Amino acid sequence: MVSPEHRGVTLHPIILFDGVCNLCNGFVQFVIRRDKHDVFRFGSLQSEKAQELLKPFGSLGIDLTTIVLLEDDRIATESQAVLKIAGKLGRGWSLFYWFIIIPKFIRDSLYQFISRYRYFIFGQRDSCMVPAPELKNKFI
C-alpha cells in the first residue's frame, strides 16, 4: 500500500511512465491537455521517486514497458491503467473505460505487443522529458 506520506502532499492519482519513450511521452501530453480538473500527477518510471512509490508493490515485477496508475493505495498497469485513466478524463474519453469488459488477457496482449515495439515504431529520447515550467507542479 502507498501511504499518503509516500505520495507527497497531494492525493492525486499518479501516472508513472517510461520517460524516454516517445509514445509514453505523447500519452502523457495527451492526458495533460485533457485533464481539465487537474486530476493527475506524473512521474518517470526511471526516477528515484517512482521507484520509492513502487516499493510496496515490488513483487509485481513492474518494469519500464508499462504505464502505471497509482491511486488510493492501489496499482493498475498495462491496459487496465490506460482504461482507468481514460475513464477519469471525462467527456467522450471516459467511454473508452467500457473496453474494460474485454478480457484482460486480450487487452494486455495487445498492450504488450505495442509496448514491445514502441521504440521501433515511435522512437525514444536520450533523456527523460523535462516538463515546461507551467507544468512542473503536475510532476512528482
Side-chain angles (χ1 to χ4, degrees):
M1 294 181 38
V2 178
S3 62
E5 62 270 11
H6 284 109
R7 289 186 177 172
V9 294
T10 66
L11 296 177
H12 294 274
I14 299 172
I15 299 171
L16 301 175
F17 63 99
D18 178 354
V20 298
C21 169
N22 286 337
L23 175 62
C24 302
N25 280 284
F27 178 73
V28 167
Q29 294 301 319
F30 174 89
V31 172
I32 288 171
R33 284 191 302 274
R34 287 154 184 84
D35 186 15
K36 303 298 182 198
H37 299 288
D38 195 33
V39 173
F40 296 105
R41 295 298 176 261
F42 305 89
S44 167
L45 280 164
Q46 289 90 344
S47 72
E48 288 180 30
K49 182 66 175 175
Q51 294 307 307
E52 178 185 324
L53 289 169
L54 291 172
K55 273 185 188 172
F57 306 101
S59 63
L60 295 176
I62 296 167
D63 60 27
L64 298 180
T65 66
T66 190
I67 292 283
V68 177
L69 176 65
L70 296 172
E71 177 182 30
D72 298 328
D73 298 337
R74 292 184 311 256
I75 190 168
T77 61
E78 297 183 332
S79 66
Q80 183 181 23
V82 172
L83 294 175
K84 284 185 170 200
I85 292 164
K88 292 184 177 303
L89 289 178
R91 299 193 179 207
W93 299 108
S94 60
L95 294 174
F96 281 99
Y97 182 75
W98 287 101
F99 282 105
I100 205 87
I101 64 171
I102 297 172
K104 185 173 174 25
F105 78 93
I106 294 172
R107 293 187 331 254
D108 282 350
S109 292
L110 177 59
Y111 182 97
Q112 291 161 5
F113 177 81
I114 294 168
S115 176
R116 188 174 308 120
Y117 297 103
R118 71 191 189 284
Y119 292 151
F120 177 74
I121 297 169
F122 299 98
Q124 72 183 91
R125 301 164 183 247
D126 291 330
S127 61
C128 292
M129 178 179 90
V130 176
E134 65 273 12
L135 297 176
K136 281 197 181 227
N137 65 327
K138 290 184 153 295
F139 286 79
I140 58 169

